[in-house]
Amino acid sequence: MGQQRIRFYQTGSFVVGNRLLDPDQRSVQSDTRRTNSLNSGHRACRGCGEALGARYVLDAVMRATGHQMVAVNATGCLEVFSTPYPETSWQIPWLHSLFGNAPAVATGVASALRAKGRRDVRVVGQGGDGGTVDIGLACLSGMFERNDDVLYICYDNGGYMNTGVQRSGATPHGAATTTTPAVGPDPGNSFGQGKSLPLIAMAHRIPYVATATVADLRDLEYKATRAMEFRGARYLHVLVPCPLGWRTGPHETIRVARLATETGMFPVFEAVDGEVVGVTKIRRRLPVTEYLRPQGRFAHLFGETPRSDIIGKLQAEADRTVRTFGLVDPEEVS
Amino acid sequence: MPESRQHQSVPFAISLDPGSSLANKTGSWRTEVPKYVDRMPPCNHACPAGENIQQWLSSAEEAGYEAAWRQIMADNPFPAVMGRVCYRPCETACNRAVLDEAVGINSVERFLGDEAIAQNWSIESAVAPTGKRVLVVGAGPSGLSAAYHLRLLGHEVTVRDSAKAAGGMMRYGIPRYRLPRDVVDAEIQRIVDLGVRLELGTAVTELAGPLDEFDAVFLAVGAHIGRRAEIPAGDSARILDAVSLLSGLEEGERPLLGRRVAVYGGGNTAMDVARTARRLGATDAVVIYRRTEDRMPAHPIEVTEALEEGVRMRWLSTITAADAGRITIEKMRLDATGFPQPTGEFEELDTDTVVLALGQSSDLTLLAGVPGVTVTDGVVEVGANLMTGRPGLFAGGDMVPDERTVTVAVGHGKKAARNIDAWLRGTSFERPPRHAPATFDRLNTWYFSDAPATVRPRLESARRITTFDEVTGGLDESTALFEARRCMSCGNCLECDNCFGVCPDNAVIKLGDGRYEIDLDFCKGCGLCAAECPSGAIEMFPERS
Ligand SMILES: Cc1cc2nc3c(=O)[nH]c(=O)nc-3n(C[C@H](O)[C@H](O)[C@H](O)COP(=O)(O)OP(=O)(O)OC[C@H]3O[C@@H](n4cnc5c(N)ncnc54)[C@H](O)[C@@H]3O)c2cc1C
Ligand SMILES: Cc1ncc(C[n+]2csc(CCOP(=O)(O)OP(=O)(O)O)c2C)c(N)n1
Ligand code: SF4
Ligand code: SF4
Ligand code: SF4
C-alpha cells in the first residue's frame, strides 16, 4: 500500500493529531488553519457521518490543491442541510446541481476551466449513495468513460436518507429501510440485489479508485490527497454512518464505521488503472454480529427468534469480501 | 468570535459572512454537554508515594526528562532508588495491562533518576524559612523523605541516626546487587545539599529532651531486630539472623557461612540472604518455608531471580532442630484455612549455617516514659495524620502499622511532613479530594498502537553469583522513550486532537498547549468527542435547563 503509516507507539497513526509529531506529519484535521469547508451551523443531525466525511475529504483536497477547488454537489442530505437559502455552511466555491447530474455538471465545470486555461483549479463532484449509485450512475459512467478531470466522491450512508430512509443500491442486504421494512419471511433489503460502485468504477479502468471510512482519518486524508495527484476521472467511496437511518446513537458514528471495516463488511482499498494496489488490513477481526447488533436497522435479526440464517448469509458475504481483498494476513484466516 | 473561526481570506467568488450558517446556533439542539475532565489514573492511585505518574510520563514522552524528574521529586526524593527496589504497585494497577502489558513505569523512573544523577540536577526550596525546628529520628527512607519535604516547606530539619551512614535499610538491608550504594549516596546527598542537617552515629535514646528542644519530632526508626524462632539447637549449631548478617556485610564484615546454607523464612529478606549467600560462596543455598510458593510473601520476581541463581526452595517445610552440620526438617501440609500443619514426616539436611529471616521488629526503647504513646503488636499507633498520642510527636515507616516497603516509608514521610507543617502552623492538613477513577472501560483503546513492553537487560546468572554487581540494568534513552509513550494517559487529555477532529460541527476549539474548549453555540451534544477520546478525558453531562 502506498501509504506509510507513522509508527507512533503511544497512539499510533490512528488519532487525529499528536503533540509529539512534527507539524508536517500531522493530519489536515489537526491543523487549526484547516479550511473547515463545511462550517458550523449546518443543519445535519447530531453525530452526522456525512457532515464529518465531507469536511474530512474537502479539507484534505483544499490542502492538496493549494485551496484551488470547486465542488459540485448533487441533491441529498449534504446539500439540503448545508444550504437552506440564503444561508450556507460552505467555505469553498460550491455549486448545487440536480439529484442525478452532479457528475455531468462537474464535467462541465472542468471543461470550462480548461477552456479558460485554469489547470490549477481542480473540480470535485459529490453526492450521496442514492444520487451516485442509482440515479446519477449513467452520467457518472459517462464521466468515467471520457476520463474527465474530476474527482467524484460518494458519501455512502446506505440509503436515501434525506427523503426518509429509502433503500438504495448501496443499502446492505437484510437492512430495514422504509421501502424494505422488517416484515415477512425475508425481512429487510433483499439479497442478490445492489451493487458495488467502486468495482464498477474500476471496471472503467479510470486512473484512481479508493474506498475509505470516517473511522480512519489518516487513510481518508491520504486517499483524498493521492487522488489529486492524478489527472482524469477518479472515484472515492466513503462510508459515512447515518445515526437516523442506521438507528444508532449519535456518539456511535465513528465506532460503527470502524466495526464495518473490522468485520469485513466494508473493504478499504485503493486501485490504480483498475487494479487493486493496496488494502487496509483488518486490525482486530470481529464477527458481523458486532457490526449489526448496535444498529436498529438490523434489530429484526436479533429479536425473540434470532435470524441466524440471515446473519449467516451476511457473515458469508463478509468472509468472501475478506478473501477477495485479502483483508487479513493468510496465517490469520480461520 | 474565537480566533479559530475567523477566516484568513474568503475564497474567490465567495462572500460568506452575510448568510453564513454561523447564524444558526445549533447549540440549542443539545440535551447533553461535553466537558473536559481529569480523572485519577490507577497508577497514580496505587502509588504509595502518591506520585503523579501520568503527569511525569507525559513530560518524559516529550523527552522533557528534567521536567519529568522534577514532577517525581515533588512527591518522592528517591527516583533512582525507586527505579530499583520499588515493588511497583503502580504497574500492577496499570490499565495498559488489560490491553497488552503494563507500562514499565518503574523502568522509566529509574532512567529519570539515573539521568538526574548523571546530570547533577538539584532541588532548591522556594519557601521562606519558617524558623520552626523539627527533629527526625532515623535516616531511612521514611525519615529522609519527611526531612526533604519539611525542608522544602521552609522548616529547619535535623536528622539523627545511630548508624555510621544514612539510608536505613536502603543501605543496611537491601543488597548491593539490587541497589548500588552510589545511587543511595547520590540521592541522599541531594537532600543534604538542600539544607537538611544530618547527625550520624547519634542514637536517640529518649525523647523528653528532643520534644522540649524541637517544635516537632518525627520518628522513623524502622524495624531492625530479627525475629527469633524457637528451634532446639545444639551448642555448636551456627544460627545467624538475616538483618544482622546483611548489615554486617555493609560494615565490611565477611560472615563465615560455609558451603551449605539454610535460610528459614519466605519473605524478601529470605531471598536476599539466600542470594547473598550464593555470592559469598555457598554452593548450596536452600530456602525453607512452611507454606507453598504462591503463599510466599516474597515478591515473585525475587523468587524467580533467586531460582535463576541456583537457590533451592523447600516449600511446606519447617526446621525442627539444628545441630552442628545438620538440621531436621519436618514436612508440613496446609489445612483448610491455609494454615501449615505438621505431618510427623521428618528429614535431615546437611547444613553449615542456618540464617533466620522471619521478619523484623522495632526497637522502641526510646519511647519509654513518653506519655500518650500506644504500642500495639510491636508497632506504634498513629492517627490519620501520623501523629502519636503525644501532640507534636509523629511516626511513620516500618515502625507503624502498614506495609513494610521503601515506597510506603517514603509516602509516610511526605504525609508526615504535610501534617507536621500544618500542625506547626496551627492548622490541619486536608488532603484534596481525589478525582474519580479513570477505569479501563472509559478508554477508547482502539487508538493505541500495539506495542509490547520493553524489558530491562539483566546480568546473566553465571556473572551474578560471583559478584555483587547490579543484576538489573536500566533502559537507554530510546527504550525509555518508547516505554513512556506506551502510557495511555488514563483519564487525562494527551493532546491528540481527536476531539478537535471528530466533531461534525467544528464545535471544538483548539487553544494550543494542550487546551481545548467547546463552542457551546454550535455543539449539538452528539457525544462523538467523548466516545472517541482515547483517554476518557471528556464526559457528557445533562444539559442544565
Ligand atoms: C533485606 C531487606 C530487603 C528489602 N528489600 C526491599 C525492597 O526491595 N523494596 C522495598 O520497597 N522494601 C524493601 N525492604 C523493606 C524496606 O527496606 C523498609 O520497609 C524501609 O527501609 C523502611 O523504612 P524506614 O525509614 O521506616 O526504616 P529504616 O529503613 O529501617 O530506617 C530506620 C533508621 O533509623 C535508625 N535508627 C533506629 N533506631 C534509632 C535510634 N534510636 N536513634 C537514631 N536512629 C535510629 C536506623 O539506623 C535506620 O537508619 C527490605 C527490607 C529488608 C530488611
Ligand atoms: C430527480 C429527483 N428525484 C427525487 C428527489 C428527492 N430527493 C431529494 S434528496 C433525495 C435522497 C438523496 O439520497 P442520497 O443521494 O443517498 O443522499 P443522502 O440524503 O442519503 O445523503 C431524494 C430522493 C430529487 N430531489 N430529485
Ligand atoms: S496507561 Fe499510563 S496513565 Fe494509565 S495506568 Fe498505565 S501508566 Fe497510568
Ligand atoms: S480527544 Fe485527545 S485532545 Fe481531546 S481531550 Fe481526548 S485526549 Fe485530549
Ligand atoms: S463532537 Fe462536537 S457536537 Fe458532538 S458533543 Fe462533541 S463538541 Fe458537541
Side-chain angles (χ1 to χ4, degrees), chain A residues 120-186:
Chain A
D120 57 326
V121 182
R122 309 297 304 273
V123 183
V124 302
Q126 51 180 359
D129 52 298
T132 307
V133 173
D134 298 338
I135 93 158
L137 182 56
C139 53
L140 183 61
S141 175
M143 183 201 112
F144 289 165
E145 191 191 334
R146 292 186 304 272
N147 200 24
D148 295 321
D149 188 20
V150 173
L151 166 64
Y152 190 90
I153 306 139
C154 171
Y155 301 108
D156 177 5
N157 53 20
Y160 292 73
M161 298 313 186
N162 188 57
T163 41
V165 193
Q166 292 91 5
R167 175 205 177 272
S168 82
T171 300
H173 296 147
T177 67
T178 49
T179 46
T180 59
V183 293
D186 296 310

Side-chain angles (χ1 to χ4, degrees), chain B residues 380-389 393-395 400-401 415 419:
Chain B
V380 173
E381 280 186 24
V382 284
N385 59 355
L386 293 185
M387 190 153 80
T388 65
L393 182 63
F394 295 76
V400 305
K415 186 173 169 186
N419 284 294

Side-chain angles (χ1 to χ4, degrees), chain A residues 43-66:
Chain A
R43 288 158 158 82
C45 301
R46 300 192 305 154
C48 172
E50 191 165 24
L52 190 58
R55 191 187 77 221
Y56 281 179
V57 174
L58 296 180
D59 282 4
V61 174
M62 282 293 273
R63 188 200 257 184
T65 60

Side-chain angles (χ1 to χ4, degrees), chain A residues 24-287:
Chain A
D24 63 340
Q25 287 191 304
R26 296 187 194 172
S27 70
V28 177
Q29 285 303 313
S30 75
D31 188 344
T32 48
R33 292 160 308 163
R34 72 187 185 205
T35 309
N36 269 345
S37 306
L38 182 67
N39 209 358
S40 309
H42 62 71
R43 288 158 158 82
C45 301
R46 300 192 305 154
C48 172
E50 191 165 24
L52 190 58
R55 191 187 77 221
Y56 281 179
V57 174
L58 296 180
D59 282 4
V61 174
M62 282 293 273
R63 188 200 257 184
T65 60
H67 301 89
Q68 299 300 307
M69 173 187 77
V70 178
V72 175
N73 208 141
T75 302
C77 278
L78 184 58
E79 169 263 320
V80 171
F81 73 59
S82 64
T83 321
Y85 185 79
E87 270 175 25
T88 180
S89 314
W90 295 105
Q91 306 211 74
I92 50 169
W94 180 88
L95 268 81
H96 173 214
S97 71
L98 296 182
F99 190 18
N101 69 351
V105 173
T107 294
V109 174
S111 304
L113 286 165
R114 197 177 61 232
K116 293 187 71 179
R118 292 296 302 270
R119 275 182 62 84
D120 57 326
V121 182
R122 309 297 304 273
V123 183
V124 302
Q126 51 180 359
D129 52 298
T132 307
V133 173
D134 298 338
I135 93 158
L137 182 56
C139 53
L140 183 61
S141 175
M143 183 201 112
F144 289 165
E145 191 191 334
R146 292 186 304 272
N147 200 24
D148 295 321
D149 188 20
V150 173
L151 166 64
Y152 190 90
I153 306 139
C154 171
Y155 301 108
D156 177 5
N157 53 20
Y160 292 73
M161 298 313 186
N162 188 57
T163 41
V165 193
Q166 292 91 5
R167 175 205 177 272
S168 82
T171 300
H173 296 147
T177 67
T178 49
T179 46
T180 59
V183 293
D186 296 310
N189 190 23
S190 49
F191 279 77
Q193 294 181 4
K195 52 199 142 179
S196 162
L197 199 38
L199 293 180
I200 294 172
M202 280 167 66
H204 288 76
R205 303 225 171 257
I206 55 173
Y208 189 71
V209 173
T211 67
T213 80
V214 287
D216 192 344
L217 172 73
R218 289 279 187 174
D219 179 67
L220 180 60
E221 287 188 349
Y222 155 75
K223 283 167 179 166
T225 307
R226 177 105 171 93
M228 300 321 286
E229 290 168 11
F230 295 86
R231 290 275 169 178
R234 288 143 290 144
Y235 180 71
L236 183 58
H237 191 97
V238 189
L239 186 71
V240 291
C242 165
L244 179 86
W246 297 22
R247 293 197 266 142
T248 46
H251 63 287
E252 292 178 303
T253 301
I254 292 177
R255 187 169 77 94
V256 281
R258 187 184 301 135
L259 289 168
T261 61
E262 295 301 286
T263 52
M265 294 290 277
F266 185 86
V268 178
F269 64 95
E270 61 179 336
V272 171
D273 297 331
E275 200 183 325
V276 174
V277 294
V279 300
T280 301
K281 299 273 185 197
I282 291 176
R283 196 164 155 225
R284 297 177 191 154
R285 191 168 181 199
L286 295 167

Side-chain angles (χ1 to χ4, degrees), chain B residues 203-255:
Chain B
V204 176
T205 49
E206 58 89 35
L207 290 171
L211 281 168
D212 267 356
E213 196 187 332
F214 292 88
D215 297 301
V217 175
F218 178 58
L219 294 179
V221 297
H224 290 206
I225 310 169
R227 278 199 204 112
R228 307 293 299 189
E230 311 272 313
I231 303 174
D235 289 343
S236 49
R238 221 181 124 62
I239 300 184
L240 304 174
D241 94 83
V243 246
S244 323
L245 186 153
L246 291 169
S247 65
L249 200 64
E250 198 53 38
E251 308 251 79
E253 289 167 18
R254 187 121 183 135

Side-chain angles (χ1 to χ4, degrees), chain A residues 15, chain B residues 36 492-500 508 514 516 529 532-538:
Chain A
V15 282
Chain B
Y36 292 92
N492 294 273
C493 174
L494 49 66
E495 213 182 329
C496 71
D497 288 345
N498 252 18
C499 49
F500 180 64
V508 177
Y516 302 84
C529 52
E532 299 306 321
C533 171
S535 301
I538 305 176

